[in-house]
Amino acid sequence: MPELLRPSERYKDSFLNAAREAQEAGSGLGDTLALNLPAVTADFAAYLSSLRQYEPGQPLPEGYVHSETLWLVEGGEYLGRVNLRHTLNTRLREFGGHIGYEIRPSARSRGHATQALHLALERARDLGLDRVLLTCDVVNLGSRRVIEKGGGVLEGEFTVPGHAEPIRRYWIPL
């Protein structure tokens, strides 16, 4: 059964393979697509450290909120990731929300996004959140289904300056 865990050196090879998959497929939420794979491969410990830079207890740059990155893994295989933001600022309220997720291309359409969201919602409850905001592009039917299956209540469809596609905002009560 997949679980959400803190990023770890244990999953390095599987993570790097997933990042290559996403780059070759031209898919992802941006995190995997933007990776400088040679640099990440050369100093994976520094990459893992960068994933922890916004966790509670860390000083925040202006305009950022505390958040955590969790990896969806099963056995030794990296399946995807969840970004869980502990609060919202003005920008995240408009676009991004509390939870973002990405599943590696070879693991899609197998229920992993649904499982990742379910586990992220459990973690959000543990943090004391009473509801969470998720956003997705209007054209992203897969993500829409995952969010709606997870209890998402549509707030509406919106355009966001600087973002090519209209988005949908969903609230999930916890």
Side-chain angles (χ1 to χ4, degrees):
M1 183 65 128
E3 55 188 330
L4 282 181
L5 301 173
R6 291 189 73 187
S8 164
E9 183 81 33
R10 175 180 178 202
Y11 305 103
K12 176 182 178 179
D13 292 339
S14 184
F15 172 81
L16 293 172
N17 288 336
R20 286 184 201 96
E21 275 179 27
Q23 288 181 346
E24 289 169 9
S27 69
L29 295 175
D31 292 357
T32 308
L33 289 174
L35 280 182
N36 177 342
L37 280 174
V40 171
T41 302
D43 194 351
F44 197 69
Y47 175 69
L48 292 176
S49 180
S50 76
L51 295 178
R52 296 185 181 106
Q53 66 184 324
Y54 304 117
E55 289 182 353
Q58 301 295 325
L60 291 175
E62 182 72 29
Y64 285 78
V65 301
H66 283 118
S67 63
E68 55 193 66
T69 298
L70 300 166
W71 285 357
L72 185 71
V73 298
E74 186 169 32
E77 184 180 6
Y78 169 92
L79 299 172
R81 62 135 182 105
V82 167
N83 288 342
L84 176 59
R85 284 150 313 252
H86 296 192
T87 58
L88 297 178
N89 58 21
T90 302
R91 176 68 179 149
L92 290 171
R93 171 62 179 85
E94 181 179 48
F95 179 72
H98 287 96
I99 298 172
Y101 53 85
E102 176 182 33
I103 302 298
R104 70 186 292 173
S106 64
R108 292 181 182 160
S109 299
R110 298 189 345 218
H112 295 308
T114 300
Q115 180 68 16
L117 178 56
H118 172 76
L119 294 170
L121 294 173
E122 286 181 2
R123 176 69 182 128
R125 275 186 206 92
D126 291 345
L127 292 170
L129 299 176
D130 58 0
R131 67 182 189 149
V132 294
L133 175 67
L134 285 86
T135 68
C136 69
D137 289 349
V138 167
V139 296
N140 188 340
L141 300 180
S143 195
R144 286 170 57 172
R145 281 191 295 272
V146 168
I147 295 168
E148 290 167 1
K149 188 175 183 178
V153 177
L154 181 65
E155 177 183 73
E157 293 185 3
F158 305 88
T159 57
V160 177
H163 190 70
E165 298 288 338
I167 64 159
R168 297 185 115 200
R169 286 191 201 118
Y170 291 91
W171 288 94
I172 299 178
L174 301 176

